[in-house]
Amino acid sequence: GEQTAESVKITIGNAFPPGEVLTMDVKGRDMVEGIPRVVRIDSDEVREALSEPLDAIVDTVKEVLEQTPPELSSDIMDHGIVMTGGGALLRNIDIMLQTRTGLPVSVCDNPEYAVVIGTGKALEELALLKEVTLSRT
């Protein structure tokens, strides 16, 4: 189920091979036999299961970088990519993205709350936000 999948992803999930292979016992219904069963899975299997969406993330990042204006590209090369959001918590996703893009990548503090915190700060500076928004239209 969805809760079990999320637990597996958080506990042993990874985007890039860790130093050691982690394992976890997963309880659920065997879809072939229809009976409850316990299966031991490892972090390599989870990474393989996540490979398709991770490849899509890398492809999207590369597409965005190709369309990025030169002055911003220079900043990205100097300061790197900062990851936000809950997905940034996947073990070694920063290392995977750095390896696949050749750019420095880091995860911000409290990535699952970064957008909310940033929005709150923007709303505290409403006049500046309006000025920036109006200058782009």
Side-chain angles (χ1 to χ4, degrees):
E2 196 171 316
Q3 286 181 332
T4 301
E6 184 70 10
S7 175
V8 168
K9 183 178 73 174
I10 290 168
T11 306
I12 65 171
N14 64 86
F16 196 82
E20 64 179 291
V21 176
L22 306 172
T23 62
M24 180 177 179
D25 290 336
V26 179
K27 299 173 187 174
R29 186 168 53 97
D30 185 318
M31 297 302 287
V32 175
E33 297 178 22
I35 58 173
R37 189 169 161 198
V38 177
V39 176
R40 177 161 287 192
I41 61 172
D42 66 44
S43 52
D44 290 341
E45 293 170 310
V46 176
R47 185 176 59 259
E48 184 178 328
L50 293 172
S51 66
E52 190 173 317
L54 289 171
D55 288 344
I57 290 169
V58 171
D59 291 343
T60 302
V61 168
K62 286 181 177 180
E63 286 175 25
V64 169
L65 290 170
E66 288 171 4
Q67 298 173 16
T68 301
E71 59 276 3
L72 186 53
S73 292
S74 176
D75 284 346
I76 294 170
M77 289 178 65
D78 291 343
H79 304 288
I81 297 169
V82 179
M83 298 185 66
T84 65
L89 296 173
L90 179 63
R91 189 178 286 110
N92 295 337
I93 193 168
D94 53 339
I95 297 169
M96 182 269 306
L97 195 55
Q98 183 169 333
T99 301
R100 306 256 316 257
T101 64
L103 294 167
V105 178
S106 61
V107 176
C108 73
D109 294 334
N110 301 315
E112 65 272 45
Y113 301 112
V115 172
V116 173
I117 293 168
T119 301
K121 288 182 179 184
L123 291 174
E124 289 173 2
E125 300 289 337
L126 208 49
L128 178 61
L129 182 61
K130 284 181 183 177
E131 184 180 321
V132 171
T133 305
L134 291 175
S135 69
R136 292 182 179 241
T137 56

